[in-house]
Structures are given as structure tokens and as C-alpha cells.
Amino acid sequence: MKQRNFLTALLLTLALSVGAQQPEAYRLYDAQGRPADYQQMVADLAQQDVVFVGEMHNCAITHWLELRLLHALYAANGNAMAVGMEMFEADNQLIVDEYLDGVITAERFEAEARLWPNYPTDYAPLVDFVREHGLRLLATNVPRRYANTVKNHGIQYLDSLSAAAKQYLPPLPITIQANEQATAAFGMMAMMGRSSNPEWMAQAQALKDATMAWNIAQCKQPKVLHYNGAYHTDSGEGIITYLRQYKPGVRLKTVYAVKQEDITQLEADYLGRADYYICVPEDMATSY
């Protein structure tokens, strides 16, 4: 009886110990899946011409780390660095510039810049830092009306656009580069009846990637920190494929945000898809 009571008490103690383990908000890993040191990661990223942060758009901890990374890279590179964001479309560059320069108010900026619904919680802190420190903010994404046109009519339809419209596009024709992650996703959407033409959807995605790459390549600052959805730079594809075409020899590295049930080691499926990983628990708070 005493032995049974002892074993029961021991098991209860172990259970409470496991349950009381301190929760972790995230872990960092390098390209080989080894634990990465934050300061060493920052030092490495500061040496690059372009740094891509591939985010989960609704992940609270990822957005906080994006802001911390902006602070750190600004401390290293100062005004030699510009910030680019998928979340702003190229035809709104003037509105972005006017807001940063104090020409228009925050209210007018928010009313006219077609901001994402989660802008106040997730992206406003980045823009506020850029504005406060006088950095250049690049509205890199293609105007959504042209991506929608390609989704509905195919990439060749861009040739019929006016010269005024084409100023917001990369040089035509755009060579469609394969993006395995996007192609697989669009194929699945077609199977589920959510897309009538996955090829045109892939072309619309390529237009976004090429436009973001083109706008990064045209930036006069020698360093660019760019925020985009992870699929746009997954496995060195998407934006990166086009950027290497528009700016040969560019030095770049990628940070990829992922969610896992267990963050104590990086899952094998992610290996080789980025230079660094922000690994967060699946139950991490989201902004929407």
C-alpha cells in the first residue's frame, strides 16, 4: 500500500511538473534547423542587400518580432535602409509619401490608402517607426485591380492596358516563374470549386511577385527590409526569383514564420525553405 501511494504521488508530481512548464512564445532556427541566436541572426541579416520577412498575416508574436527586427536593422544600417511592404500597393506610393512627409493626416492616409483590415494592430507600429525615423517606405505590391484582371483574363491581358496603368507594373512581358507552393494551393482551390482557372490564378500571383521584386530593385537605398506573406518567398521562389532577374548579384536572406504544435525542434518539412525561422506555437494569439 505504501509503495502504491508513493507511485501515485510520484506520478502526480510529474504530471504537475509537466503541466507547469514555462510556456514559450517562439523559438528561432537557422536554415539547418539548429537553434539560432537572435543577435547573430541580426548581425547576419544586417550584411544583406535585401531581407525578406515571410510572415503569417495574423500572427501576433510574428508582428512583434517584425517590429523588433526593424529596430535592430535600423540600429545597424540607419537611413541606408528602406522598408518595403506587400501590404501597400504601388499606385498608393504618393499617398504613403505624403503621410510620411506630414502633407496629409493619419485620418486621410487611413481613408485613402486601401489599408488591410488588420493595419491598426499589425502594421501601424511598423509605419509609425518608419515615419518617426525618416525612412523610405516602399509600396511594393501590384494594384489589386490588375491582379484581379489577370486572375479573370490571363497574363496577356496586361498588354492591352494603358501606358498610365503600366507604370505600376514591372516590364512586360513577365516570364511566369514556377512557385510550387502557390501552384499546389491554387490546384487544390480548383479541386474544391473555389477557382475556375488555377493557371490564371498562378499568373496573378506571379504578377504580384514580379511587381514587388521590381519595386525593390528600383529602390535607391542600398538596403531593403521587406515584409510579405511567407508563400511569396518560400524556398527562394516567388519574389526572389524575379529579384535575381531584375538585380543580378543581389545579396539576400529570408526569415520564415511557421506554426507548430511542438516548437522544441523545427519540423523537417521546413528545412531548406528559408535562412531563418520564427517558430511559434499553434495556439499563439492571432489578430483576426
Side-chain angles (χ1 to χ4, degrees):
M1 180 66 70
K2 288 183 178 180
Q3 185 178 12
R4 182 180 300 174
N5 289 341
F6 171 77
L7 290 174
T8 300
L10 177 60
L11 291 173
L12 179 59
T13 300
L14 289 173
L16 290 173
S17 176
V18 171
Q21 287 180 351
Q22 181 174 339
E24 293 182 275
Y26 71 94
R27 285 196 179 188
L28 299 176
Y29 293 99
D30 67 11
Q32 288 73 44
R34 300 171 302 203
D37 176 78
Y38 177 76
Q39 295 300 336
Q40 291 179 355
M41 180 183 76
V42 167
D44 184 18
L45 297 178
Q47 301 303 312
Q48 309 307 312
D49 302 322
V50 181
V51 173
F52 290 102
V53 181
E55 67 170 35
M56 295 174 285
H57 294 318
N58 66 348
C59 178
I61 195 67
T62 299
H63 290 300
W64 174 75
L65 282 167
E66 287 176 341
L67 181 60
R68 301 311 304 173
L69 188 58
L70 174 56
H71 286 207
L73 292 181
Y74 174 75
N77 294 319
N79 289 78
M81 182 181 72
V83 176
M85 298 179 70
E86 173 196 0
M87 301 79 198
F88 295 103
E89 298 165 35
D91 60 336
N92 278 333
Q93 185 66 64
L94 177 61
I95 297 174
V96 170
D97 291 343
E98 289 178 338
Y99 173 59
L100 296 182
D101 292 340
V103 176
I104 62 175
T105 65
E107 289 74 20
R108 292 318 315 155
F109 171 66
E110 293 176 10
E112 299 185 34
R114 300 195 302 271
L115 302 177
W116 288 17
N118 60 324
Y119 172 81
T121 55
D122 298 339
Y123 304 114
L126 300 173
V127 174
D128 290 345
F129 184 92
V130 167
R131 189 169 187 255
E132 179 182 350
H133 292 84
L135 297 177
R136 170 90 162 133
L137 179 59
L138 309 175
T140 60
N141 208 354
V142 70
R144 65 191 71 178
R145 59 187 178 274
Y146 302 136
N148 192 62
T149 294
V150 171
K151 179 176 70 72
N152 292 330
H153 302 288
I155 197 75
Q156 297 303 321
Y157 196 88
L158 296 177
D159 294 333
S160 66
L161 296 180
S162 67
K166 289 177 182 177
Q167 69 178 310
Y168 301 117
L169 306 179
L172 301 179
I174 299 170
T175 302
I176 303 301
Q177 304 288 349
N179 184 326
E180 293 183 7
Q181 300 298 321
T183 300
F186 296 142
M188 183 63 67
M189 291 173 67
M191 291 176 60
M192 296 171 63
R194 296 172 59 188
S195 167
S196 58
N197 194 322
E199 181 179 357
W200 287 355
M201 289 192 69
Q203 291 175 355
Q205 182 82 351
L207 174 61
K208 294 180 180 181
D209 291 337
T211 304
M212 285 188 273
W214 177 250
N215 287 321
I216 293 169
Q218 301 309 299
C219 179
K220 293 181 172 56
Q221 279 76 13
K223 309 255 184 197
V224 176
L225 171 60
H226 192 268
Y227 298 102
N228 51 264
Y231 48 86
H232 285 292
T233 46
D234 193 345
S235 302
E237 296 181 341
I239 303 172
I240 294 174
T241 301
Y242 291 101
L243 182 60
R244 293 194 187 281
Q245 174 185 331
Y246 298 143
K247 195 171 182 177
V250 63
R251 299 175 302 164
L252 62 87
K253 289 203 171 178
T254 59
V255 181
Y256 189 172
V258 301
K259 278 190 175 182
Q260 297 182 177
E261 182 177 355
D262 176 13
I263 68 170
T264 59
Q265 64 179 9
L266 186 69
E267 292 178 2
D269 288 347
Y270 291 120
L271 294 177
R273 294 167 66 174
D275 296 293
Y276 295 98
Y277 300 85
I278 302 169
C279 188
V280 303
E282 288 184 348
D283 61 354
M284 174 53 61
T286 58
S287 55
Y288 63 89

